[in-house]
Amino acid sequence: MQKTKIFLRIRNLRHNAGYTQENVAHFLHIQRTTYTNYENGSRTPPLDILISLAELYQVSVDYLVRGVDTPYLSAAAKKFLVEFNSLPAPDQQEVFHFILFKKMFHK
C-alpha cells in the first residue's frame, strides 16, 4: 500500500468534511492518537478502518488506497454528484423531481 498517499487522502477528506481528528477517531472507535498516526503516515490503517473511512466519506476503499475513483461513473456523472451533494436537501429533492419530469418525455 502507498501509505504516503493514504494519509494525504484521509487528511484532505477530513478537512473537506469539517471533522476534527477527535470526531473521526470517535466514529472509528479508536484513540485520537491512533488516528493521528494514520494521518501523519507513521501507521497504515488496517482494512476495517479503511472500510469505515470509505463509508464515512462516501468514497471507495480503492480511492483511499490508490486514489482511483469508482471506475463505473463517467466524469459527467461524478461532476453531477459533486454538485448535487453540495445542494441543501430541499434543492436536491427539487432536482430529483425535475429528473423524473424529464424522464416522462423520454420513454
Side-chain angles (χ1 to χ4, degrees), residues 1-105:
M1 277 196 246
Q2 300 172 347
K3 71 179 178 181
T4 57
K5 302 289 184 178
I6 292 171
F7 85 80
L8 290 174
R9 279 189 277 283
I10 64 174
R11 182 185 305 154
N12 289 336
L13 286 166
R14 180 179 61 77
H15 283 294
N16 291 341
Y19 297 137
T20 65
Q21 288 184 341
E22 188 67 39
N23 296 145
V24 178
H26 183 267
F27 173 81
L28 297 171
H29 306 288
I30 61 175
Q31 297 294 315
R32 186 195 55 77
T33 53
T34 301
Y35 180 77
T36 300
N37 288 331
Y38 299 152
E39 273 199 13
N40 68 25
S42 63
R43 291 185 63 191
T44 301
L47 183 58
D48 62 319
I49 295 294
L50 289 172
I51 291 169
S52 294
L53 288 168
E55 290 171 355
L56 174 65
Y57 298 122
Q58 299 180 354
V59 297
S60 67
V61 172
D62 201 31
Y63 173 76
L64 293 177
V65 175
R66 298 187 315 141
V68 177
D69 285 330
T70 307
Y72 52 86
L73 288 179
S74 68
K78 289 176 194 173
K79 183 175 181 177
F80 175 83
L81 287 174
V82 167
E83 296 299 327
F84 181 81
N85 287 331
S86 71
L87 295 171
D91 291 346
Q92 288 180 352
Q93 192 68 18
E94 187 177 334
V95 169
F96 179 72
H97 286 265
F98 179 74
I99 291 169
L100 294 177
F101 172 76
K102 291 295 283 184
K103 284 180 67 175
M104 290 187 328
F105 298 100

